[in-house]
Amino acid sequence: MSHEHPNQFALLGQRRFAPFFWTQFLGAANDNVFKFAFTLMVTYQLQLSWLEPKMAGLVIGALFILPYVLFSATSGQLADKHDKARLMQLVKSLEIVIMAVAAWGFYATNVPALLTCVFLMGLHSTLFGPVKYAYLPQQLSERELTGGNGMVEMGTFVAILLGQLLGGVLVDTPAVGPQHVAIACLVLAMLGRAAAQAIPTSPSTDPGLVINWNPITETWRNLKLAHEGLAVFRSLLGISWMWFFGAVFLSNFPAFAKEVLHGNPQVASLLLAVFSIGIGIGSLLCEVMSKRHVEIGLVPIGAIGMSVFAIDLYFASTGLPEAVPYTVNAFLALPAHWRVLADLTLLALFAGLYSVPMYALIQLRAKPTHRARIIAANNILNALFMIASSVIAGAMLSAGLSIPQIFLAVGIANAVVAAYIFLIVPEYLLRFVAFVLTRLVYRFRIVHDERLPTTGPAVLVCNHVSFVDAVLLMAASPRPIRFLMDHQIFKTPVLGWLFKLAKAIPIATQKTNPATYEAAFAAARAVLDDGEMVCIFPEGGLTRDGTLQPFKGGVMKLLEGRPEVPVIPMALGNLWGSFFSRVEGGKAMTKPLRRGVWSPVSLTVGPPAVAAGVSPEGLQLSVQGLLAGAH
């Protein structure tokens, strides 16, 4: 890895990330020490007539999620209006107060006080959530966002896991268990507050915001606000679905371990550990696989894996031998159980690959002034989906379905939901195709990708060598590009369908079809006026002999009246003679694998020029120069 971009772990050595990471880590750990210890205390140690053991987990879970539904909208506004570092410090001070009350509750075995603290800890997390995700894009660049999110996601799941293990071990100590939990929760809250003190200031993104304290009208406003950017809103739904999916597994682990796998409580902890490790690995893999960009092509890969392994889990967990409750060692001694653990690990790993790029996409595409409110809308939707998931799973259990059958149903539902999402948001599917093409078919190297702008309008001009040039450029860009393409290409099977999905703009020559020619430029100018990127291949068609053809004047027509728009020359190298290019005197895509799979291909991005100073001849020389440099 080059020194200018060390890997995501390097962020832990930097003040803009490390104090924030540990604040978030300690908060998630504390939530789980407290909730898990309290749940075990009510389930195993206290006999309460008004709170039955089998209901305890559900009640505590519901009380914790309730503030997300009620107060997310308010906390999103607070995060957009105020300095994020100051807000995190105040929230961590509140945590110390809540944990002091909880400590008294543990000492006095006062269950109502502890239930109140569960609600208050939910409120603490609700206040922290929008600040957390709005802080990252303020401090990290687009190239660091996927890695930073992966670290936070991984850290959260490790904290949940360690918190639950610590809570379980402490509360189990005979006679003094609850007191030990009380001390641990207070210490964790104080450590979290100390870490928050070091978070660098993060100025308000919308200081003039007037806060609407009515949670119902504000929640509705937030959802409407999120709906304005459809790519963002559909990503919110995608993340909420991941929480629905994950909640079904997490909430059924204790019963699954006991009734299906015939394991003791430690086996339930093992399942949780395996699941958390899977999500952690998946979250960290995102940065490696996305080559430091927000790569939503990983989302379909994640969705496919989630379904495959959820469905296999059903087959792996039916017909297992009945036995006395297994200890962890006895459980691991049976080969059949390894398949169950492998399914759970891989299912969680793919869920990590699925969710991290969606979080990064939301942070990148949401308006900075409204970012925290959009994250708040995400938290509201997540909470509603998780509540729906427990209600539906409960109804299925009551109807007599077994837990493996519920896993099977969720696996199939996930495949249906994923197919639906990819049809209404073709960008995911297109990025997936681009991802496969640039990782498996070609070895794709990009030189100077930092010259591609992450915001604002731009015109990209590129040489035209093959039928997949547009797909390769899509893979190189951190955001969508609209292509001007020869109307004939839309008649090609598969590729034509893909380019229609990509909303490519069909263009004909002025001689053959003047109406299509004019309409294409009008459409492309409208895209620029919306602040998006347009790509044009100025040669007007695929090269027939591998050399650069003269650039036509279309690019000047596109730039009329837009002197400030940057024009970025680009050169695709080493594609001539591949399966998707023409060959001397022949057609493209006729001879399979003319060059070996995984052959190297490059894209070199040139320095941007301002529209006012470009000409077709000048741009042609720039691209020629980039091609010469690429060889």
Side-chain angles (χ1 to χ4, degrees), residues 92-211:
K92 299 317 276 182
S93 301
L94 171 69
E95 186 186 3
I96 295 176
V97 176
I98 298 167
M99 282 305 157
V101 177
W104 172 79
F106 277 120
Y107 270 92
T109 326
N110 186 324
V111 176
L114 289 169
L115 285 171
T116 308
C117 287
V118 170
F119 179 83
L120 291 172
M121 279 307 275
L123 175 64
H124 151 268
S125 296
T126 303
L127 290 168
F128 195 78
V131 199
K132 171 174 87 175
Y133 285 113
Y135 172 85
L136 282 177
Q138 236 179 321
Q139 299 284 349
L140 304 185
S141 71
E142 186 269 335
R143 298 174 69 89
E144 297 169 318
L145 212 45
T146 299
N149 274 294
M151 290 293 287
V152 170
E153 198 79 354
M154 180 273 308
T156 304
F157 273 91
V158 171
I160 289 172
L161 175 64
L162 293 176
Q164 298 205 344
L165 294 176
L166 180 65
V169 167
L170 290 178
V171 79
D172 233 9
T173 325
V176 290
Q179 287 87 317
H180 285 182
V181 175
I183 295 164
C185 287
L186 260 176
V187 169
L188 282 170
M190 288 171 182
L191 288 173
R193 178 65 184 84
Q197 195 54 41
I199 297 174
T201 57
S202 253
S204 160
T205 45
D206 190 358
L209 175 71
V210 179
I211 293 188

Side-chain angles (χ1 to χ4, degrees), residues 43-129:
T43 311
Y44 289 103
Q45 297 174 6
L46 309 172
Q47 307 308 250
L48 299 170
S49 55
W50 55 276
L51 188 59
E52 290 175 31
K54 66 177 181 204
M55 292 305 291
L58 282 174
V59 169
I60 289 170
L63 268 178
F64 189 78
I65 284 178
L66 188 59
Y68 278 95
V69 183
L70 297 178
F71 303 116
S72 278
T74 311
S75 65
Q77 294 177 87
L78 291 170
D80 274 335
K81 185 175 171 68
H82 297 292
D83 181 305
K84 291 170 191 58
R86 188 78 200 96
L87 206 52
M88 287 192 259
Q89 289 154 5
L90 288 169
V91 170
K92 299 317 276 182
S93 301
L94 171 69
E95 186 186 3
I96 295 176
V97 176
I98 298 167
M99 282 305 157
V101 177
W104 172 79
F106 277 120
Y107 270 92
T109 326
N110 186 324
V111 176
L114 289 169
L115 285 171
T116 308
C117 287
V118 170
F119 179 83
L120 291 172
M121 279 307 275
L123 175 64
H124 151 268
S125 296
T126 303
L127 290 168
F128 195 78

